[in-house]
Amino acid sequence: MQIIQFLILAAFLFCVGVYGVIVRKNSVLVLMSIELMLAGVNLNFLAFSAMLNDTAGQIFALFVIAIAAAEVGVGLALVILIFRGFGVSDFNELDEMKG
Amino acid sequence: MNLSPHDVAFGIIAAGMVIAAIGVVTTDNVMHAALFLVMVMAGSAAQYLLLAAEFVAWVQVIVYIGAVVILFLFGIMVTRAPMRATASQTNSQRFVGAITALGLFGLFAAIVVDAYEHTRFVPGDAGTTQAISSELFTDFIVPFELISLLLLGALVGAVALARKD
């Protein structure tokens, strides 16, 4: 196997996630795009771990998964809070702090 | 150039992941986006298996497909996001976003092609459950304990934020 095929796929996933974070209106969809970026990063960790035959990369991937789960939990709590406070879940309509 | 079975499997899974990832960021149906995300995560788990990372692959399946996507579905339900494609979910920054993403991808691709164009490897046994557990409970024991504190903090934080009083 070539390492580059995994790295290119990971870079693609990350960039699709960046695109999603920029263009998505709905807050749940923005969180999903962040998950895509994290999946790309994880693929990089595991590809290098397999190439160098070093277990540290696997451990880092596990930590990324744990932190992603915590992030989704808190993120969705915030989204629910925003929805309850403003009645919207679109980030475009949250312009209270616009000067 | 001869293709190994690994390369063929990688190509098939990667094609599915690319289609599903683009689906996550382009579909106007929030439910479909969540299901596309399941496809991406399942594809990632399959790629981890190709990299002989068995433990992380199954953690990925259990945590992402089993827990995170379910949380997303609850989020969609609670915030009454449009289940049908009623309105566009993409804002007016589409071209800026596309240029940013394409530029970033070009940069990443150029860097990794430059650095690792001819590097070939065969996955070793670094990803076995035994190797991970012996490393996790010796060298990484402090971060492992810290992550449990972080998860506890996230649990309490999520409850404190989302409950009504």
Side-chain angles (χ1 to χ4, degrees):
Chain A
M1 282 190 285
Q2 280 187 294
I3 182 87
I4 192 165
Q5 58 198 40
F6 292 99
L7 299 185
I8 295 277
L9 179 65
F12 180 82
L13 283 180
F14 186 85
C15 294
V16 169
V18 169
Y19 173 79
V21 169
I22 294 174
V23 306
R24 285 309 218 172
K25 278 187 200 166
N26 191 293
S27 41
V28 180
L29 288 171
V30 172
L31 280 177
M32 284 185 201
S33 304
I34 294 175
E35 292 303 315
L36 278 183
M37 293 164 72
L38 287 169
V41 172
N42 253 348
L43 192 55
N44 251 350
F45 271 130
L46 289 176
F48 279 113
S49 165
M51 185 181 90
L52 304 170
N53 204 18
D54 187 342
T55 310
Q58 318 263 341
I59 310 266
F60 266 84
L62 286 175
F63 284 160
V64 169
I65 290 176
I67 290 174
E71 172 245 319
V72 170
V74 176
L76 281 173
L78 284 172
V79 167
I80 290 169
L81 201 66
I82 289 169
F83 181 76
R84 207 182 285 146
F86 297 91
V88 291
S89 60
D90 278 12
F91 281 155
N92 279 24
E93 294 172 37
L94 296 174
D95 49 8
E96 297 282 307
M97 289 176 76
K98 206 170 184 179
Chain B
M1 178 173 165
N2 49 346
L3 287 172
S4 70
H6 276 98
D7 291 332
V8 176
F10 171 87
I12 295 169
I13 301 164
M17 285 172 73
V18 165
I19 293 168
I22 291 173
V24 172
V25 295
T26 53
T27 179
D28 285 336
N29 186 324
V30 185
M31 212 62 154
H32 288 180
L35 296 178
F36 276 129
L37 190 68
V38 171
M39 265 180 80
V40 175
M41 292 309 168
S44 298
Q47 302 287 19
Y48 299 167
L49 284 180
L50 280 183
L51 287 167
E54 50 179 45
F55 185 71
V56 183
W58 295 119
V59 168
Q60 168 95 358
V61 168
I62 292 168
V63 173
Y64 270 102
I65 301 174
V68 169
V69 172
I70 300 296
L71 265 183
F72 275 125
L73 293 180
F74 272 113
I76 292 168
M77 188 182 75
V78 170
T79 61
R80 296 192 205 104
M83 299 258 192
R84 285 185 213 88
T86 45
S88 172
Q89 293 295 327
T90 307
N91 64 24
S92 54
Q93 298 166 340
R94 195 172 312 179
F95 293 106
V96 184
I99 290 166
T100 310
L102 281 176
L104 201 59
F105 180 63
L107 182 70
F108 285 159
I111 291 171
V112 296
V113 168
D114 186 46
Y116 296 106
E117 197 177 352
H118 302 297
T119 310
R120 297 191 150 270
F121 71 103
V122 176
D125 56 0
T128 59
T129 311
Q130 189 184 8
I132 289 177
S133 59
S134 59
E135 192 104 339
L136 191 61
F137 292 116
T138 53
D139 291 351
F140 290 92
I141 186 72
V142 176
F144 177 77
E145 297 295 343
L146 283 178
I147 209 107
S148 64
L149 274 181
L150 179 116
L151 282 172
L152 181 69
L155 181 80
V156 174
V159 171
L161 284 174
R163 75 177 175 149
K164 283 196 175 99
D165 13 275

